[in-house]
Amino acid sequence: MQKDLSRLLRDPNLIPFAKQNLLSRIANQAAALNMPCYIVGGFVRDLLLGYPINDLDIVVEGDAIKLGKSLVEKYGGKLTPHHKFHTAVWRLPSSFILHPSSLDLITARSETYSRPAALPTVTPASIEDDLRRRDFTINAMAIRLDGDHFGELLDPLNGQADLEKKIIRVLHPRSFMDDPTRIFRAVRYEQRYSFHLELSTFDAQPATFSPLSGGRLRHELDLIFKEENSAAMLARLHQLGVFDAFDPCLPKFNADYANLLKSVPPAEFGVSEDQVTAGYLLWVLDSTAAVVESLARRLVFSSALTQACKSIIQLKKDLPALKTSKPSAWTFYLEKIPLQAIYVLWLVFRAPALREFLVHWRHVKQNTNGAILKARGIAPGPRYKNLLSQLRQARLDEVVKNEKEEEEFLNRLL
Ligand code: ATP
């Protein structure tokens, strides 16, 4: 199937006009410098699939830093060159009103790996070489943008045919060994587009994953939790034995929680939407504190994420004992726990007290403060904390319902 790419590149339903304008400005400038200029990777894949475009990955044969300098000269903005990688980041002039507000300009390059799972060494090269260093055939296509070449498809590895056959195929047998993160990428594309992974090369390389750093592994999992279909992706990674190959301590995701991954916190909860944290919380929910400890260490969790994961496990354990507690006991307990953990546990167990805490109880405060106690002639000291806490408790448990009752209650305490 031959698609008219110049027409697709001008389709505002796929590429908003502001992005089209940006592409033509870059293409014109590249043409003026005699640098063949391409849009590559996910952009081409999604354009051919008819999906709206997000990222613009621009590659030139020549010198991306030189192109960046001339764009800044002509249009403004700011350039941050990375000479070692022959790339530059162009912070776009604010008049362009584009999101994201910066753009990577890349010099076509080849990459070599000093050892498996290491970061590659980069050398400027032709666009064909650049496409050959990529992960899958469907991501190894380019569309040329400059001058009369506008809309020409470069597809040396038959990516378009694999798109039509719905196949995720690596470019060479060592691919997963060179960069084990690719297995996560493969599964993301496979489940996102309902494609299938061409497995022969993967099967031939058992247990080659261990050198992958925890940070890179976590980054891949973050990307998975941002996807619509993350539960299916995790299940597939398990099925392929990927988690066990990386680390047997990685827990299995409970399929019963799959639909919860897409939940958006109701506005009245006052909990920010954070699909990634919610994903990790659901992932660890059926594990033990010891598993969470080792997972957090292995995947280099932030201290906030570690804390949230530990808390949700403890809260799940304490839930039965808390069930008959008064609102004040719930509140004093839950106030020490990250809101995301409470929200995610509510998603699973729907305990009404968790909802009450998020929506009401945590906002209930006593009317009395330190100044009022001082005016009542009580000398400042540790007693203040104790009195104020008793007043808040009375408010939460509705022993007192208004200011007057609170004052009477305070009188009885003094
Ligand atoms: P997505 O829709 O998931 O963002 P994308 O293709 O835009 O897909 P990026 O992670 O932005 O994904 O990568 C851009 C391009 O860089 C890919 O299309 C691919 O050609 C190449 N690429 C990214 N990661 C790798 C990798 N680990 N190995 C080889 N090539 C890669």
Side-chain angles (χ1 to χ4, degrees):
M1 173 190 25
Q2 195 52 53
K3 299 215 172 171
D4 180 355
L5 291 178
S6 9
R7 192 181 54 74
L8 291 181
L9 287 166
R10 294 195 174 102
D11 182 344
N13 295 315
L14 298 175
I15 312 170
F17 282 125
K19 282 194 177 161
Q20 291 188 34
N21 285 340
L22 178 63
L23 287 181
S24 359
R25 283 168 165 151
I26 296 167
N28 291 341
Q29 211 58 22
L33 293 169
N34 273 327
M35 280 186 211
C37 172
Y38 305 85
I39 186 102
V40 295
F43 180 104
V44 182
R45 177 195 71 222
D46 285 345
L47 193 74
L48 290 169
L49 288 171
Y51 282 54
I53 300 308
N54 292 316
D55 297 343
L56 303 180
D57 285 328
I58 304 285
V59 174
V60 291
E61 278 176 312
D63 180 355
I65 297 177
K66 189 169 162 193
L67 172 64
K69 283 181 181 158
S70 79
L71 284 163
V72 168
E73 230 163 73
K74 181 146 187 184
Y75 298 108
K78 190 173 173 286
L79 197 76
T80 310
H82 298 288
H83 292 280
K84 189 171 163 203
F85 299 106
H86 314 280
T87 63
V89 181
W90 180 22
R91 200 169 78 220
L92 303 171
S94 50
S95 57
F96 281 16
I97 319 176
L98 268 168
H99 183 80
S101 56
S102 63
L103 182 78
D104 291 339
L105 300 167
I106 313 284
T107 305
R109 68 207 207 192
S110 60
E111 290 179 349
T112 45
Y113 292 83
S114 55
R115 61 186 159 78
L119 291 173
T121 311
V122 170
T123 331
S126 69
I127 185 72
E128 290 226 1
D129 289 330
D130 190 283
L131 295 177
R132 283 180 200 285
R133 75 176 168 87
R134 289 172 185 268
D135 46 6
F136 311 111
T137 56
I138 60 164
N139 281 345
M141 292 179 274
I143 302 174
R144 193 158 167 184
L145 298 174
D146 54 297
D148 293 342
H149 298 282
F150 182 78
E152 280 175 14
L153 179 69
L154 244 91
D155 182 15
L157 298 149
N158 298 319
Q160 199 177 7
D162 283 345
L163 265 189
E164 282 158 21
K165 284 187 260 174
K166 299 176 180 274
I167 288 179
I168 313 289
R169 194 197 303 270
V170 288
L171 305 190
H172 56 87
R174 284 183 52 91
S175 183
F176 288 126
M177 224 182 297
D178 281 347
D179 181 351
T181 63
R182 289 175 182 158
I183 186 62
F184 291 86
R185 298 177 60 81
V187 167
R188 264 199 300 129
Y189 297 126
E190 186 195 49
Q191 300 299 314
R192 187 198 291 169
Y193 299 117
S194 300
F195 279 23
H196 43 268
L197 175 59
E198 201 273 318
L199 276 172
S200 54
T201 48
F202 177 68
D203 286 344
Q205 306 167 30
T208 50
F209 300 127
S210 43
L212 190 58
S213 78
R216 290 184 76 197
L217 181 51
R218 205 204 52 254
H219 177 68
E220 293 307 319
L221 290 166
D222 288 355
L223 292 177
I224 285 180
F225 283 126
K226 285 180 188 160
E227 297 268 348
E228 279 267 304
N229 253 344
S230 36
M233 293 171 188
L234 294 174
R236 179 72 164 133
L237 287 164
H238 259 291
Q239 187 204 19
L240 292 170
V242 172
F243 281 167
D244 282 344
F246 274 110
D247 197 326
C249 89
L250 300 176
K252 194 163 190 299
F253 189 86
N254 182 342
D256 292 347
Y257 305 152
N259 285 333
L260 303 179
L261 285 166
K262 293 177 200 144
S263 309
V264 177
E268 58 185 0
F269 279 28
V271 176
S272 55
E273 188 178 349
D274 181 350
Q275 226 174 301
V276 175
T277 301
Y280 283 110
L281 290 171
L282 287 167
W283 190 32
V284 301
L285 187 57
D286 295 340
S287 312
T288 60
V291 168
V292 168
E293 283 278 354
S294 74
L295 192 66
R297 227 175 302 120
R298 170 74 174 98
L299 298 187
V300 212
F301 280 4
S302 66
S303 56
L305 182 58
T306 308
Q307 187 52 37
C309 288
K310 283 183 179 168
S311 303
I312 199 166
I313 286 179
Q314 188 60 44
L315 177 54
K316 182 184 168 198
K317 215 160 120 194
D318 293 342
L319 210 52
L322 280 163
K323 262 216 164 106
T324 52
S325 302
K326 290 185 173 167
S328 60
W330 276 104
T331 304
F332 294 151
Y333 176 99
L334 292 174
E335 274 176 341
K336 297 187 197 92
I337 290 184
L339 293 182
Q340 284 288 340
I342 300 170
Y343 162 63
V344 169
L345 204 74
W346 173 80
L347 278 178
V348 176
F349 291 103
R350 301 282 160 165
L354 298 177
R355 182 185 182 284
E356 281 303 302
F357 170 77
L358 291 171
V359 178
H360 299 300
W361 296 341
R362 67 192 174 106
H363 304 297
V364 171
K365 299 279 177 290
Q366 75 289 349
N367 183 58
T368 311
N369 57 24
I372 293 178
L373 292 181
K374 202 167 172 200
R376 296 286 306 263
I378 306 160
R383 199 176 164 210
Y384 272 37
K385 195 171 166 218
N386 187 276
L387 284 170
L388 295 175
S389 164
Q390 287 190 66
L391 291 169
R392 181 156 184 244
Q393 181 178 348
R395 277 273 169 145
L396 278 162
D397 297 338
E398 298 191 352
V399 173
V400 301
K401 297 198 179 65
N402 53 44
E403 255 177 64
K404 191 162 173 292
E405 287 181 15
E406 187 178 315
E407 223 180 297
E408 287 161 10
F409 189 81
L410 177 61
N411 288 339
R412 288 199 294 280
L413 289 178
L414 294 179

